[in-house]
Amino acid sequence: MSGRTVVVTGAESGIGAACAAAFGAAGDRVAIFYHADRDAAEASAAAVRGAGGEAMTVQAQVEDEASVDAAFAAVEQAWGAAAVLVNSAGLNMTGVTVRDMALDQWRRLIDTDLTGAFLVSRRFLTGRGTAAGDAAIIHISSIHAYAVRAGGADYCAAKGGLTTLVETLAVEEAARGTRVNAIEPGMILTPMNARAQTDIDYRHALERNIPMGRAGKPEEVADLAVFLASDRARYITGARIVIDGGLSLMQALGA
Ligand SMILES: NC(=O)c1ccc[n+]([C@@H]2O[C@H](COP(=O)([O-])OP(=O)(O)OC[C@H]3O[C@@H](n4cnc5c(N)ncnc54)[C@H](O)[C@@H]3O)[C@@H](O)[C@H]2O)c1
């Protein structure tokens, strides 16, 4: 399967950028949805083209209904309805506990990581119409969808909500041929984990908690996304696939 139209949100950075390049290498047309950094988006597009795919860049704020609509409309005008959506746009937790968390912070994270997922999923589906046909939605969630951390209430709640959004969508869209799955990464070396890339002691301290002894690479998450969007995953829907080197199995450490 190649030559599909693939929309990747958050595609100018980290896991989204790796997904864009991986779908490009599979011979797909990739729409790079980016938030603010146009140069980074163009670099992602160049990587897609270098890998053998086609690329276009489109500005989109995932929490803004009109922006999401305009971005999908631009893709549909150029290439027709998308067959694959990878939603990687997201903000990270800040370490602020609930008693100190401002309502604005809570809203910003829920708007981006959860409402954004709803808006891009809905626009992807309506762009395809009601006829049946193979399609795939992949949301980049997190192990924090179920493994909570103090200081991450906004993020954990958003990713936890994303789980049930993915499951509901999977049930609603199965008969039309759209499979909907979540990828739940552990610690992946991206700009979201900037300190782990520059502070080697900090990184090693975190990596000691990972049974495989190392953080993951964005390309490893991208390989999973390409698989989940492929015909080899044709019977997988409503699933949450953990990719964390075993990290989330260590929750009872010290019990
Ligand atoms: N890196 C990790 O360890 C890790 C672990 C688990 C889950 N995740 C998830 O993976 C996804 C990608 O994160 P990453 O690690 O690549 O980080 P990243 O910061 O490199 O990428 C996040 C992307 O989201 C985009 N974005 C942020 N707000 C946006 C908005 N309002 N509208 C549109 N785009 C917006 C950013 O521009 C950026 O391209 C996120 O959903 C994150 O929660 C990451």
Side-chain angles (χ1 to χ4, degrees):
M1 296 215 307
S2 67
R4 300 168 300 184
T5 294
V6 179
V7 168
V8 183
T9 72
E12 75 273 42
S13 180
I15 292 168
C19 286
F23 281 98
D28 288 318
R29 289 185 295 253
V30 185
I32 312 280
F33 279 23
Y34 68 96
H35 189 214
D37 190 341
R38 192 185 176 128
D39 289 345
E42 289 302 334
S44 289
V48 169
R49 294 184 191 111
E54 278 182 74
M56 67 186 288
T57 58
V58 191
Q59 200 278 329
Q61 266 171 260
V62 294
E63 77 283 13
D64 182 308
E65 188 175 23
S67 171
V68 168
D69 185 40
F72 272 91
V75 175
E76 288 159 3
Q77 190 173 10
W79 292 338
V84 177
L85 167 65
V86 179
N87 176 40
S88 188
L91 296 173
N92 199 5
M93 66 180 76
T94 54
V96 176
T97 57
V98 169
R99 62 169 61 223
D100 292 323
M101 190 178 288
L103 179 58
D104 275 359
Q105 176 180 330
W106 169 269
R107 283 197 171 129
R108 200 162 76 96
L109 209 137
I110 298 291
D111 281 356
T112 307
D113 289 31
L114 183 56
T115 307
F118 160 75
L119 287 174
V120 296
S121 299
R122 190 182 64 176
R123 188 56 184 80
F124 171 85
L125 291 169
T126 55
R128 293 183 54 75
T130 53
D134 288 346
I137 297 176
I138 296 152
H139 286 291
I140 310 298
S141 181
S142 167
I143 58 172
H144 296 302
Y146 59 91
V148 300
R149 249 177 91 169
D154 47 2
Y155 185 81
C156 298
K159 298 299 193 186
L162 185 53
T163 299
T164 45
L165 173 63
V166 162
E167 291 172 349
T168 309
L169 278 168
V171 171
E172 289 178 353
E173 296 300 325
R176 286 197 193 92
T178 300
R179 296 178 299 100
V180 187
N181 292 294
I183 292 178
E184 296 182 339
M187 178 187 178
I188 309 297
L189 293 174
T190 72
M192 196 173 269
N193 272 319
R195 187 173 163 201
Q197 311 225 47
T198 52
D199 179 343
I200 202 71
D201 292 335
Y202 173 74
R203 173 170 157 186
H204 285 160
L206 295 178
E207 288 179 330
R208 273 196 285 280
N209 297 321
I210 302 173
M212 287 185 71
R214 66 169 179 86
K217 300 175 188 153
E219 293 77 16
E220 291 168 330
V221 181
D223 284 346
L224 177 55
V226 169
F227 166 74
L228 282 174
S230 78
D231 192 52
R232 292 181 180 224
R234 60 191 170 275
Y235 201 53
I236 302 177
T237 197
R240 297 177 290 122
I241 317 272
V242 173
I243 175 165
D244 71 346
L247 172 60
S248 57
L249 301 175
M250 304 301 278
Q251 285 182 95
L253 198 70

